[in-house]
Amino acid sequence: MTNPLLADWDTPFRIAPFDRISDADFAPAFDEALAAHLAEIEAIADNPAPASFANTIEAMEGAGEGLDKVLSVFFSVAGADSNDARQALQREFSPKLAAHSSAIYANAALFARITDLWERRDALGLSEEEARVLYLTHRGFVRAGAALTGAEADRMKEVKSRLAVLGTQFTQNLLKDEAAWFMPLAEADLEGLPGFVVDAARSAGEALEQPGSVVTLSRSLIVPFLQFSPRRDLREKAFRAWAARGENGGETDNRGIAAETLALREERARLLGYEDFAQFKLETEMAGTPGRVRELLMQVWEPARAQALRDAAEMEEMLREDGINDALQPWDWRYYAEKRRKALHDLDEAELKPYLQLERMIEAAFTCSSRLFGLEFKPLDVPLYHPDCRAWEVSRNGEHLAVFIGDYFARASKRSGAWCSAMRSQAKRPKLETPIVVNVCNFSKPSKGKPALLSYDDARTLFHEFGHALHQMLSDVEFGSVSGTSVARDFVELPSQLYEHWLEVPSVLEEFATHAETGAPMPKALRDKVLAAATFDMGFQTVEYVASALVDLEFHSGPAPADPMRKQAEVLERIGMPQAITMRHATPHFAHVFSGDGYSSGYYSYMWSEVMDADAFAAFEEAGSAFDPKTAEKLEEFILSKGGSREAEELYTSFRGRMPGVEALLKGRGLAA
């Protein structure tokens, strides 16, 4: 019987046939696809014909289709619907994939062909995109260690293999810690909580088959609990558990993994001739150097810290008024910030939340993209990897563009956070491919028969991830290696953060923020309060983020710290971290940095992109409308459709005419002097 992962998929738009795939299919399909890809690469390397772009670079672009199919399915379920079997497979696959990658980069004959093309590039008559793909391919091989020989080449393979294992262990430890902890709530413990938090806690209890309500470590539940629970003892217990993910001792403790990861990254950089890992990593980003990153972060840190300290002083007074003779603590901040927001802006999250229905926010994200880019969405009835998932066909003027899959609800089998991935990327050569894009979120699932309600932060997350999806779906390039979000790490967040701005367009809220029970639109007075409070508590939000970004940068600058927790403490003390605020992601649960290399030395990139997104949305405002068609056309032409086919700074300058400064970011966050 043919393995369904390796068969031709006779499904709508060649979506993976999830209903025919079992966990037992993954290992044999993986091994077979891995061997097939290696054979394809060896055939390219050993081709007796002289190297050409078509028989080397384009041939590499087309190789590994079977492996891509297997991995796209496997990593989708491993991240969003994990189980013991899938976690075991992930531990097995990680070192094999690292060895496979090393074997390709260590193929001397293949690297010789690529180098030959690189040295003759000006005489090859390449198109602009072909030249870009050749440049990126050659650079990728060099940075992977293809030019290393002997003991250094062997050591590089060992380092990369071990890093792959450590990244998998870090992720799985975090998932286990998050899934294992919950706090039962008695009926009396629910007093003071708004209805939507009570519903979420009861739904979480049902999901865990507990007799009553529980608080879990899902952000969409624990954050509102910390916002609204008047029980300081319960807030402290929940916060300490949340903050301790990955550092509880025993098998799931991530501190040793972090230390070893940092040491291996430094060794990897030094093998390639770099002073440290930050120098190596940032060479290919827009920022270019650690110094430029540090300068940006400190420009934002000082005004953010000053604002946070002013806010903390006011909230400590509120704490005293409640008869608590103690300093403001991290488990107090959200509770008193919510009370302060209600006092300053007459804005109550419990009053706001019924207007932010998940279904209507999905509709809002779709409609904004229709008005901007002419996209149309049609529901698809196809088997997916979990019953909570939904799919839509995306088209424009009758032409199929993509498939979009949404997986919105939190569950114990899903890792925390929100992300966008492509199960298939757009390409035209060597084969026409349309994208299949997945948005994964962790919103609280409602009790049966009730609508799913979002916080304003949840709604912003939905728009953010859909901005990433647009980057994938509107991609219009020749080669998959430069399509969609295959861009510099500090450019990849521009489309996502930019799209968040459309949630704040008054006409969008007026149309789609409708009450879950009455259907009435959000009153103008409430809408005005929401928009007026957009920068409320921005000192806190900026401080917890920038602190994480600075710790990440310092981890990778200079010698790797033997004790990352001590290094974290030193960095926070040096910058004057406010006592009542913690890092957004402390080291043992900093998955962005330690689950893989993606955001290592690169967590700053959200802020680098925000400098651009504030300026980019200003282009629409200057044109007189958030839906100005000419500006939207330029946005698609120069950014959303181009992927990594040109340098990021060149793309942004083509759209806006110049690069922006940090002023627009500080103004947008309400931190400008």
Side-chain angles (χ1 to χ4, degrees), residues 180-192:
W181 188 92
F182 63 89
M183 182 174 69
L185 298 175
E187 281 300 309
D189 300 335
L190 301 174
E191 290 180 16

Side-chain angles (χ1 to χ4, degrees), residues 100-246:
H100 179 67
S101 173
S102 293
I104 293 172
Y105 286 119
N107 188 314
L110 181 62
F111 185 50
R113 292 177 75 87
I114 294 167
T115 302
D116 173 45
L117 291 171
W118 176 245
E119 291 173 347
R120 295 189 290 115
R121 60 192 180 277
D122 293 336
L124 297 176
L126 301 179
S127 69
E128 182 180 12
E129 187 174 325
E130 288 171 339
R132 173 77 172 164
V133 171
L134 172 58
Y135 162 71
L136 293 173
T137 303
H138 180 260
R139 185 180 74 177
F141 267 71
V142 172
R143 287 172 59 82
L148 298 178
T149 58
E152 289 186 335
D154 293 339
R155 181 56 185 159
M156 179 64 83
K157 289 180 189 176
E158 293 171 359
V159 166
K160 289 162 75 173
S161 177
R162 181 61 180 160
L163 283 170
V165 170
L166 292 172
T168 298
Q169 287 181 342
F170 189 98
T171 304
Q172 293 189 355
N173 288 348
L174 185 54
L175 181 62
K176 286 176 183 175
D177 273 8
E178 290 173 345
W181 188 92
F182 63 89
M183 182 174 69
L185 298 175
E187 281 300 309
D189 300 335
L190 301 174
E191 290 180 16
L193 297 177
F196 73 87
V197 181
V198 174
D199 287 344
R202 284 180 176 149
S203 179
E206 291 169 8
L208 293 174
E209 299 181 349
Q210 294 298 308
S213 303
V214 303
V215 173
T216 69
L217 297 182
S218 168
R219 178 177 282 271
S220 59
L221 177 52
I222 197 168
V223 167
F225 180 80
L226 292 169
Q227 277 180 288
F228 292 105
S229 175
R231 289 280 302 277
R232 192 177 193 230
D233 58 331
L234 296 182
R235 294 200 311 267
E236 179 178 359
K237 183 178 179 182
F239 184 88
R240 287 190 182 280
W242 196 33
R245 291 168 294 158

Side-chain angles (χ1 to χ4, degrees), residues 429-641:
R429 292 166 55 189
K431 179 181 177 182
L432 182 65
E433 299 280 19
T434 56
I436 298 176
V437 187
V438 188
N439 272 181
V440 184
C441 299
N442 269 285
F443 304 143
S444 290
K445 192 171 185 176
S447 299
K448 193 172 182 179
K450 294 196 174 185
L453 303 179
L454 306 182
S455 67
Y456 198 69
D457 188 55
D458 287 339
R460 187 182 290 113
T461 296
L462 187 147
F463 269 69
H464 177 101
E465 298 306 333
F466 194 73
H468 281 309
L470 287 173
H471 204 181
Q472 296 277 14
M473 296 188 296
L474 291 173
S475 179
D476 186 21
V477 297
E478 296 292 312
F479 299 102
S481 64
V482 292
S483 72
T485 56
S486 298
V487 299
R489 179 64 61 180
D490 47 12
F491 191 65
V492 77
E493 298 298 338
L494 168 60
S496 54
Q497 293 178 183
L498 174 59
Y499 204 65
E500 292 178 33
H501 288 273
W502 274 272
L503 176 62
E504 299 179 351
V505 173
S507 63
V508 173
L509 287 173
E510 183 178 3
E511 182 175 357
F512 295 102
T514 55
H515 198 279
E517 294 179 6
T518 67
M522 184 185 290
K524 183 178 185 301
L526 179 57
R527 193 170 71 243
D528 289 346
K529 285 188 284 187
V530 169
L531 297 177
T535 60
F536 177 75
D537 210 27
M538 198 55 76
F540 167 84
Q541 293 179 40
T542 308
V543 161
E544 64 163 6
Y545 165 78
V546 174
S548 297
L550 283 166
V551 168
D552 166 45
L553 184 66
E554 298 309 326
F555 273 164
H556 297 96
S557 299
D563 183 349
M565 299 305 292
R566 181 177 178 182
K567 180 71 170 182
Q568 172 184 295
E570 290 172 354
V571 173
L572 296 180
E573 182 179 5
R574 186 172 71 245
I575 63 177
M577 184 73 169
Q579 182 268 335
I581 305 178
T582 59
M583 291 167 61
R584 182 172 298 178
H585 305 289
T587 299
H589 54 260
F590 206 162
H592 280 78
V593 170
F594 292 106
S595 289
D597 273 356
Y599 282 90
S600 54
S601 274
Y603 192 62
Y604 76 91
S605 60
Y606 290 92
M607 187 143 284
W608 190 274
S609 292
E610 190 178 340
V611 171
M612 291 179 285
D613 86 61
D615 180 66
F617 191 71
F620 285 89
E621 294 175 323
E622 291 162 13
S625 169
F627 295 98
D628 178 67
K630 289 185 177 178
T631 310
E633 185 179 338
K634 285 181 67 179
L635 179 63
E636 180 177 353
E637 178 185 359
F638 293 116
I639 293 177
L640 296 177
S641 70

Side-chain angles (χ1 to χ4, degrees), residues 293-331:
V293 173
R294 200 172 284 109
E295 180 183 5
L296 168 70
L297 293 174
M298 293 310 297
Q299 278 184 282
V300 179
W301 172 259
E302 292 301 339
R305 179 179 179 274
Q307 182 62 55
L309 291 174
R310 288 192 292 269
D311 294 343
E314 291 192 23
M315 288 190 285
E316 198 155 289
E317 281 299 313
M318 297 170 72
L319 187 76
R320 298 271 194 276
E321 290 169 7
D322 281 349
I324 300 171
N325 188 25
D326 188 12
L328 188 75
Q329 299 293 342
W331 48 89

